[in-house]
């Protein structure tokens, strides 16, 4: 495939990607593999979802999964006890609405699919207890409008979790981020905003409190790593400089030491497109 070629649909891009043996790990990391029910269960068991579930502890009722894609988060929300509405404009049987319907039927979970865009939510005010948007805001054509709509459909006391949003430090970093993104060249559609653009849009929408989770602060943002695989990668990197792997493993064995190291590293993390998440409360 020519590196400059782009597919006309995301479904075509994913089908091509799944047929590339060299991209197998990326397919698994992105939960694009089949059977879909097994990929969804793997996401439900992942450290990313466990961190999300901790943020949702004590909550119940109705949940809206915005930009639901294949439905892995809809599955996880339903497995966690929510009655789920999956909003996904793409009708695709591989990466869209048809895939979610098949997943819900196979897993026998309460997931209702609505094919619409996040900038115009076809729901009444104060409909949902939770709105979950995984890697959605940076794809929107109208960031501020999408945030207003998510606020509108939340019930008072509800929460929006906007997870895994790409952030750049300055606008000049955007081309570098897009050039290095592993999937952007296939179909396009990727983007990233300044951190203040996200928090400003969420604040302007009306959220009373916004908790910002930095890239190295939460397992939600470590993609494609988990805490354990990131620790192993750090040990390997340090060992290249000073070849005493057992010493590095021992030094990082303490969870507190590892968290402190990540906190320190986070102050110098300016990678274009690094991931942030936002936990937004409606008074």
């Amino acid at each position: 495939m020519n590196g400059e070629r782009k597919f006309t649909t995301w479904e075509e891009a994913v089908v091509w990607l799944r047929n590339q043996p060299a991209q197998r790990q990326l397919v698994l990391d992105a939960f694009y593999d089949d059977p879909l029910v097994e990929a969804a269960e793997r996401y439900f068991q992942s450290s990313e979802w466990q961190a999300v579930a901790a943020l949702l502890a004590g909550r119940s009722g109705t949940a809206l999964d915005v930009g639901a894609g294949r439905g892995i988060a809809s599955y996880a929300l339903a497995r966690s006890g929510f009655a789920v509405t999956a909003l996904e404009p793409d009708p695709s049987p591989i990466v869209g609405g048809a895939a979610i319907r098949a997943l819900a039927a196979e897993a026998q979970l309460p997931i209702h699919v609505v094919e619409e865009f996040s900038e115009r939510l076809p729901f009444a005010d104060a409909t949902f207890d939770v709105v979950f948007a995984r890697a959605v805001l940076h794809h929107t054509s109208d960031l501020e409008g999408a945030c207003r709509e998510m606020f509108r459909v939340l019930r008072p006391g509800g929460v929006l979790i906007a997870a895994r949003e790409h952030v750049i430090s300055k606008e000049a970093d955007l081309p570098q981020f897009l050039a290095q993104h592993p999937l952007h060249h296939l179909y396009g559609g990727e983007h990233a905003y300044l951190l203040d653009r996200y928090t400003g849009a969420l604040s302007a929408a009306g959220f009373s409190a916004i908790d910002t989770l930095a890239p190295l602060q939460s397992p939600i943002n470590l993609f494609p790593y988990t805490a354990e695989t990131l620790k192993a990668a750090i040990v390997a990197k340090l060992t290249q400089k000073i070849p005493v792997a057992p010493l590095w493993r021992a030094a990082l064995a303490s969870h507190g030491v590892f968290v402190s190291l990540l906190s320190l590293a986070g102050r110098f993390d300016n990678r274009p497109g690094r991931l942030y998440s936002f936990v937004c409360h409606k008074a």
Side-chain angles (χ1 to χ4, degrees):
M1 169 182 164
N2 187 320
E4 297 302 313
R5 174 185 168 189
K6 290 185 180 179
F7 295 95
T8 58
T9 69
W10 185 234
E11 179 180 36
E12 290 177 351
V14 170
V15 168
W16 178 87
L17 192 71
R18 296 200 305 192
N19 287 327
Q20 309 307 306
Q23 300 296 334
R24 177 61 178 169
Q25 191 57 52
L26 177 58
V27 169
L28 291 172
D29 290 340
F31 303 97
Y32 288 149
D33 53 305
D34 283 332
L36 176 51
V37 69
E38 293 182 7
E41 179 63 22
R42 195 171 74 252
Y43 175 70
F44 178 68
Q45 300 293 341
S46 71
S47 57
E48 178 190 327
W49 177 255
Q50 297 311 307
V52 172
L55 296 172
L56 294 174
R59 295 183 181 273
S60 60
T62 56
L64 174 65
D65 180 13
V66 180
R70 308 187 80 208
I72 59 170
S74 296
Y75 174 96
L77 286 161
R79 287 270 273 121
S80 300
F82 290 94
V84 180
T85 297
L87 188 91
E88 173 51 52
D90 189 335
S92 162
I94 294 177
V95 292
I100 304 171
R101 291 186 180 96
L103 174 63
E106 182 174 357
Q108 297 185 314
L109 290 171
I111 302 172
H112 172 61
V113 180
V114 175
E115 293 177 7
E116 186 54 272
F117 290 89
S118 56
E119 291 89 345
R120 51 175 187 267
L121 300 180
F123 311 109
D125 296 357
T127 298
F128 299 99
D129 299 290
V130 169
V131 174
F132 185 67
R134 182 178 186 265
V136 168
L137 295 184
H138 65 268
H139 287 292
T140 58
S141 58
D142 179 1
L143 175 62
E144 289 74 16
C147 291
R148 286 194 300 270
E149 280 291 271
M150 293 180 200
F151 178 84
R152 179 183 65 79
V153 302
L154 264 179
R155 290 178 178 143
V159 64
L160 160 67
I161 298 178
R164 302 176 68 256
E165 297 296 345
H166 291 299
V167 167
I168 49 177
S169 299
K170 54 185 183 298
E171 294 292 349
D173 288 343
L174 182 59
Q176 179 185 346
F177 161 64
L178 296 179
Q180 68 189 20
H181 192 284
L183 301 177
H184 180 70
H185 70 282
L186 295 179
Y187 181 57
E190 289 297 330
H191 197 66
Y193 294 106
L194 301 174
L195 181 59
D196 288 349
R197 179 77 185 278
Y198 290 109
T199 55
L202 292 165
S203 295
F207 288 102
S208 58
I210 302 168
D211 301 323
T212 300
L213 304 180
L216 301 177
Q217 183 181 348
S218 169
I220 300 171
N221 300 328
L222 294 182
F223 177 87
Y225 294 103
T226 64
E228 289 307 310
T229 60
L230 179 59
K231 186 184 296 186
I234 292 172
V235 167
K237 194 75 172 178
L238 292 172
T239 302
Q240 288 177 359
K241 297 182 178 298
I242 305 177
V244 283
L247 176 61
W248 296 127
R249 280 194 290 269
L252 297 178
S254 165
H255 178 71
V257 169
F258 184 57
V259 169
S260 296
L261 179 63
L262 291 185
S263 178
L264 178 63
R267 301 177 190 177
F268 305 95
D269 185 6
N270 294 308
R271 293 169 296 151
R274 59 198 180 278
L275 297 176
Y276 277 75
S277 295
F278 307 95
V279 185
C280 313
H281 305 272
K282 183 171 182 176

